[in-house]
Amino acid sequence: MVKNDLTHGNIPLGFGMALAQNTEALRKFALLSEEQRNSLIEGVHNVNSRQEMQSYVKNIIKM
C-alpha cells in the first residue's frame, strides 16, 4: 500500500517530495500495482538532479 511505503521510509525522500508536489502523479502512483510502484522506486536511483526527478514524476501520469 502506498501509505505504508510513505510512512515506513520505502520511498526515497526526493521522490516522495516530488510526488507530493505533483498531486496528479501521486494519485496515479497510488493506483499502480505494487510491482509497478517498486519498479518506479528502483528507477529513482538513476535520477541525478531535481529537474530529472520532476520529469521522472511527470512521466508517471502517462503510465
Side-chain angles (χ1 to χ4, degrees), residues 15 18-19 21-32 40 53-63:
F15 184 51
L19 280 173
Q21 294 172 352
N22 187 327
T23 55
E24 188 175 355
L26 179 59
R27 182 189 60 76
K28 178 70 176 190
F29 183 78
L31 295 174
L32 296 174
L40 283 168
M53 184 64 76
Q54 290 172 340
S55 179
Y56 188 81
V57 167
K58 283 182 185 178
N59 285 328
I60 294 171
I61 297 167
K62 300 174 187 174
M63 295 182 76

Side-chain angles (χ1 to χ4, degrees), residues 33 36-37 40-42 53 60:
S33 70
Q36 290 171 307
R37 290 192 308 267
L40 283 168
I41 291 168
E42 287 300 315
M53 184 64 76
I60 294 171

Side-chain angles (χ1 to χ4, degrees), residues 40-51:
L40 283 168
I41 291 168
E42 287 300 315
V44 165
H45 300 290
N46 297 317
V47 175
N48 297 310
S49 70
R50 183 174 184 232
Q51 185 177 2

